[in-house]
């Protein structure tokens, strides 16, 4: 994405389609010619910054395109930190396109062009109106699919996440300064200067970063949801369970084993947490080419899942003649594809769910490491939902309190901060005191942390982040 913020950019800022009101935005270091052309010189001269003014939007022949509201923001008191003109007109797609074209035409001498996705926010970042974590929070707020995620994004946007990071960065700098003082005065020994103090500071920093990581991980789940795969032999009730959790008939259910051939995904809100539940084709050896392709997809879904729900039919004849209860969860057999569990990711959780207890008579809920349910009657589903939340890191209904709506990029940077702090702590051990290496690790820890707010960020990272925005933001 070009970073030149010297030219005006123009975009329709409201969603495509018909609506009561639509907004066209212009931002640039200099946009007065656009303002004068679109509003007429007389009105343009009377506009007071940040005040709504009733205006007619004019085309090149002074014909009225629309009648609406104009707001002018003078630099740096605007979203982008540049001069910004906001035209609020009627929300018809055609009228907004005409208005957008008119702004482009009026700004042609200034080099005006259409905005790239996220380019208004990119300019806000480049002009220090917001930091990178806040810019990402803008996109997250727009994309939020649950209330908790929206509130959390809005707090990140207000700078809560950034403030926590800034405090850590400050503490990192202080600890480093203490160590470097001993390097500058070689006659002073670090032990004398208070190695214990430095050690305690680093230990306390480690605890603080661990806490930020914990909150960021919860936030990442809130933001991205979790993938939950329903896996098991044919006919155990996987599709029935998907339908029960979704509260609607999403997948076809029949008494015929091998009904589901393809994977079916649904986003299901469980107490404010979005779970992406994936129904799969039942696992068994088959000569049917279509069914085999479906089973291959099941195995792929198992590999991608954060949580695998292994479904077992409570009435199914247990193998090897042993009653189901006496088989440890790990060896409940899926006769024909015994090694499917090896596909489960290293960090993924597996929950064994015994279904159809309305037929077998077991009590609903957890017992001996398994969960007993009936997808048909709904018995035990509350326990299952609670277990899913628990595995996602929430022991109560998810709330946005104290959670940072983190992205993978953030988790990665926090993880590297943790690594460098661990190294620093090792170099501060009395037996192997290497203060210069400890100081260097603290410096690297600070750099890793700075990537989140964008103090140190490569251009390609910026391009990657902002290109995912919608146009006009
Ligand atoms: N009594 C009872 N029947 C159930 C329950 N869950 C599912 N069934 C029945 O079991 C049969 C198979 O259910 P499905 O949900 O299609 O099973 P599946 O695991 O998706 O099967 P495939 O797609 O073939 O792998 C249907 O006749 C369902 O009505 C349950 O909890 N109790
Ligand atoms: Mg099915």
């Amino acid at each position: 994405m070009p970073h030149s913020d010297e030219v005006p950019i123009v975009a329709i800022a409201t969603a495509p389609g018909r609506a009561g009101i639509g907004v066209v935005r212009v931002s640039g270091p200099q946009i007065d010619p656009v303002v004068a052309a679109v509003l007429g010189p007389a009105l343009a001269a009377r506009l007071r910054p940040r005040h709504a003014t009733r205006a007619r939007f004019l085309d090149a022949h002074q014909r009225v395109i629309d009648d609406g509201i104009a707001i002018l923001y003078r630099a740096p008191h605007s979203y982008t930190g540049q001069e910004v003109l906001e035209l609020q007109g009627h929300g018809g797609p055609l009228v907004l396109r005409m208005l957008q074209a008119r702004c482009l035409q009026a700004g042609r001498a200034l080099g005006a062009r259409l905005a790239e996705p996220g380019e208004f926010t990119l300019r806000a970042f480049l002009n220090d109106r917001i930091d990178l974590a806040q810019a990402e929070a803008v996109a997250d707020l727009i994309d939020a699919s649950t209330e908790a995620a929206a509130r959390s994004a809005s707090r990140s946007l207000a700078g809560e996440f950034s403030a926590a990071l800034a405090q850590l960065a400050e503490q990192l700098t202080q600890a480093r300064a203490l160590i470097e003082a001993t390097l500058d005065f070689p006659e002073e020994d670090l032990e004398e200067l208070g190695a214990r103090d430095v050690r305690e500071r680093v230990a306390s920093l480690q605890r603080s970063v661990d806490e930020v990581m914990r909150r960021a991980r919860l936030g990442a789940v809130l933001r991205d949801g979790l993938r939950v795969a329903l896996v098991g032999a044919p006919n155990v009730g996987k599709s029935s369970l998907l339908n029960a959790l979704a509260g609607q008939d999403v997948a076809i259910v029949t008494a015929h084993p091998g009904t589901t051939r393809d994977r079916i995904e649904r986003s299901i809100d469980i107490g404010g947490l979005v779970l992406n539940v994936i129904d799969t084709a039942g696992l068994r050896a088959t000569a049917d080419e279509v069914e085999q392709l479906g089973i291959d997809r099941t195995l792929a879904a198992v590999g991608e899942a954060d949580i695998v729900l292994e479904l077992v039919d409570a009435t199914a004849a247990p193998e090897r003649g042993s009653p189901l209860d006496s088989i440890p969860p790990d060896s409940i057999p899926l006769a024909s594809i015994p090694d499917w569990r090896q596909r489960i990711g290293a960090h993924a959780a597996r929950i064994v769910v015994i279904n159809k207890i309305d037929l077998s008579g077991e009590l609903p809920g957890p017992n001996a490491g398994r969960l007993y349910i009936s997808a048909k009657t709904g018995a035990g589903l509350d326990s299952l939902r609670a277990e899913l939340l628990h595995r996602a890191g929430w022991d109560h209904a998810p709330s946005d309190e104290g959670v940072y709506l983190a992205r993978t990029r953030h988790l990665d940077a926090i993880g590297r901060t943790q690594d460098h702090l661990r190294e620093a702590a090792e170099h501060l051990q009395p037996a192997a005191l290497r203060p210069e290496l400890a100081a260097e690790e603290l410096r690297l820890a600070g750099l890793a942390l700075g990537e989140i707010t964008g103090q140190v960020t490569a251009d390609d990272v910026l391009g990657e982040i902002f290109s995912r925005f919608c146009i006009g933001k």
Side-chain angles (χ1 to χ4, degrees), residues 232-243 251-261 279-284 291 311 313 315 355-359 373-378:
N235 224 32
V236 294
K238 300 175 295 295
S239 302
S240 303
L241 180 55
L242 173 71
N243 292 349
I252 297 173
V253 168
T254 72
H256 177 78
T259 300
T260 306
R261 293 298 179 95
D279 179 24
T280 63
L283 292 173
R284 66 172 169 186
E291 186 174 9
L311 249 69
D313 186 332
T315 66
N355 186 34
K356 306 195 188 181
I357 58 167
D358 54 300
L359 298 178
I373 65 158
S374 165
K376 186 172 177 184
T377 66

Side-chain angles (χ1 to χ4, degrees), residues 123-194:
R123 289 187 176 192
F125 167 68
L126 294 175
N127 290 323
D128 286 332
R129 300 294 291 169
I130 51 176
D131 68 33
L132 205 49
Q134 288 173 303
E136 289 168 317
V138 171
D140 289 340
L141 185 58
I142 293 173
D143 291 339
S145 54
T146 63
E147 276 185 37
R151 276 196 299 269
S152 180
S154 138
R155 282 207 323 268
S156 284
L157 179 56
E160 199 173 286
F161 187 29
S162 306
L165 296 171
Q167 202 183 351
L168 287 179
E170 171 71 27
Q171 288 167 8
L172 266 174
T173 311
Q174 281 171 3
R176 198 175 121 208
L178 263 181
I179 300 177
E180 282 181 348
T182 70
L183 302 178
D184 292 343
F185 302 100
E187 67 278 10
E188 308 265 9
D189 171 21
L190 180 62
E191 279 303 338
E192 280 168 33
L193 252 177

